[in-house]
Coordinates of all heavy atoms in Angstrom, one line a residue:
K15 N 100.7 356.2 -13.3 CA 99.9 356.6 -12.2 C 98.4 356.7 -12.6 O 97.5 356.3 -12.0 CB 100.4 357.8 -11.5 CG 99.6 358.2 -10.2 CD 100.2 359.4 -9.6 CE 99.7 360.7 -10.3 NZ 100.0 361.9 -9.6
A50 N 99.4 356.7 -6.7 CA 98.1 356.3 -7.3 C 97.1 355.8 -6.2 O 95.9 356.2 -6.2 CB 98.3 355.2 -8.3
P69 N 86.7 352.0 16.5 CA 87.1 351.5 17.7 C 86.4 352.1 18.9 O 85.8 353.1 18.8 CB 88.6 351.9 17.7 CG 88.7 353.1 16.8 CD 87.7 352.9 15.8
G81 N 79.4 363.2 5.0 CA 79.9 363.3 6.3 C 81.4 363.7 6.4 O 81.9 363.7 7.5
Y88 N 85.5 361.7 9.2 CA 84.1 361.5 8.8 C 83.2 361.5 10.0 O 83.4 360.8 10.9 CB 84.0 360.2 7.9 CG 84.8 360.3 6.7 CD1 86.1 360.0 6.6 CD2 84.2 360.8 5.5 CE1 86.9 360.1 5.5 CE2 84.9 360.9 4.3 CZ 86.3 360.5 4.3 OH 87.0 360.6 3.2
P91 N 76.7 360.8 12.4 CA 75.7 361.5 13.1 C 75.0 360.7 14.3 O 74.6 361.3 15.3 CB 74.7 361.9 12.0 CG 75.4 361.7 10.7 CD 76.4 360.6 11.0
K92 N 74.9 359.4 14.1 CA 74.2 358.6 15.2 C 74.9 358.7 16.5 O 74.2 358.8 17.5 CB 74.2 357.2 14.7 CG 73.3 356.9 13.5 CD 73.2 355.4 13.3 CE 74.4 354.7 12.9 NZ 74.9 355.2 11.5
A94 N 77.5 361.0 17.1 CA 78.2 362.4 17.3 C 79.7 362.2 17.5 O 80.3 362.9 18.2 CB 77.6 363.2 18.4
C106 N 89.3 352.3 10.2 CA 89.1 353.5 11.1 C 90.2 353.3 12.2 O 90.1 352.4 13.0 CB 87.7 353.5 11.6 SG 87.4 354.9 12.8
V109 N 88.8 357.6 16.9 CA 87.6 358.5 16.9 C 87.8 359.6 17.9 O 88.6 359.5 18.8 CB 86.3 357.7 17.2 CG1 86.0 356.6 16.2 CG2 86.4 357.1 18.6
A120 N 69.7 372.1 17.5 CA 68.7 371.2 18.2 C 67.5 371.1 17.3 O 66.9 370.0 17.3 CB 68.4 371.8 19.6
I133 N 64.6 355.3 9.2 CA 65.4 354.7 8.2 C 66.1 353.4 8.7 O 66.3 352.4 8.0 CB 66.4 355.7 7.6 CG1 65.7 356.8 6.9 CG2 67.4 355.0 6.6 CD1 64.8 356.4 5.7
V168 N 71.5 358.3 3.4 CA 72.5 357.5 2.7 C 72.3 356.0 3.1 O 72.4 355.8 4.3 CB 73.9 357.9 2.9 CG1 74.9 357.0 2.2 CG2 74.1 359.3 2.4
A172 N 76.2 345.8 1.0 CA 77.1 345.0 0.1 C 77.0 343.5 0.5 O 76.9 343.2 1.7 CB 78.5 345.5 0.1
I187 N 71.0 357.3 -2.4 CA 71.2 358.6 -1.8 C 69.9 359.4 -2.0 O 69.5 359.6 -3.2 CB 72.4 359.3 -2.4 CG1 73.7 358.5 -2.2 CG2 72.6 360.7 -1.9 CD1 74.8 358.9 -3.0
E191 N 64.8 368.3 0.6 CA 64.8 369.7 0.8 C 63.5 370.0 1.7 O 62.4 369.8 1.3 CB 64.7 370.5 -0.5 CG 65.9 370.2 -1.4 CD 65.7 370.9 -2.7 OE1 65.2 372.0 -2.7 OE2 66.2 370.4 -3.8
L201 N 61.9 365.4 -2.5 CA 62.8 364.3 -2.4 C 63.4 364.0 -3.8 O 62.7 363.9 -4.8 CB 62.2 363.0 -1.9 CG 61.9 362.9 -0.4 CD1 60.7 363.7 0.0 CD2 61.6 361.4 0.0
G208 N 75.3 347.6 -8.3 CA 76.4 347.0 -9.0 C 76.6 345.5 -8.6 O 76.3 345.1 -7.5
V217 N 81.3 339.1 -15.9 CA 80.0 339.7 -16.2 C 79.7 340.8 -15.1 O 79.8 340.5 -13.9 CB 78.8 338.7 -16.2 CG1 77.5 339.4 -16.5 CG2 79.1 337.6 -17.3
L219 N 77.3 344.2 -13.8 CA 76.1 345.1 -13.8 C 76.4 346.4 -13.1 O 76.9 346.4 -12.0 CB 74.9 344.4 -13.1 CG 73.7 345.3 -12.8 CD1 72.9 345.6 -14.1 CD2 72.8 344.7 -11.8
L244 N 58.0 356.7 1.6 CA 58.3 357.1 0.2 C 59.5 356.4 -0.3 O 59.6 355.8 -1.4 CB 58.4 358.6 0.0 CG 57.1 359.4 0.2 CD1 57.5 360.9 0.1 CD2 56.1 359.0 -0.9
S259 N 63.2 342.4 -15.1 CA 64.0 342.4 -16.3 C 64.9 341.2 -16.4 O 65.2 340.7 -17.5 CB 64.8 343.7 -16.3 OG 65.8 343.7 -15.3
E295 N 86.1 317.4 -50.2 CA 86.6 318.7 -50.8 C 88.1 318.7 -50.9 O 88.7 319.2 -51.8 CB 86.1 319.9 -49.9 CG 84.6 320.1 -50.0 CD 84.2 321.3 -49.2 OE1 85.0 321.9 -48.6 OE2 82.9 321.6 -49.1
I302 N 93.4 313.8 -55.2 CA 93.7 312.5 -54.7 C 92.7 311.5 -55.2 O 91.5 311.8 -55.3 CB 93.6 312.6 -53.1 CG1 94.6 313.5 -52.6 CG2 93.7 311.2 -52.5 CD1 94.5 313.7 -51.1

Side-chain angles (χ1 to χ4, degrees):
K15 185 180 76 172
Y88 295 86
K92 291 189 292 292
C106 177
V109 296
I133 296 298
V168 178
I187 300 168
E191 300 178 34
L201 284 76
V217 179
L219 166 74
L244 288 175
S259 65
E295 290 182 3
I302 298 175

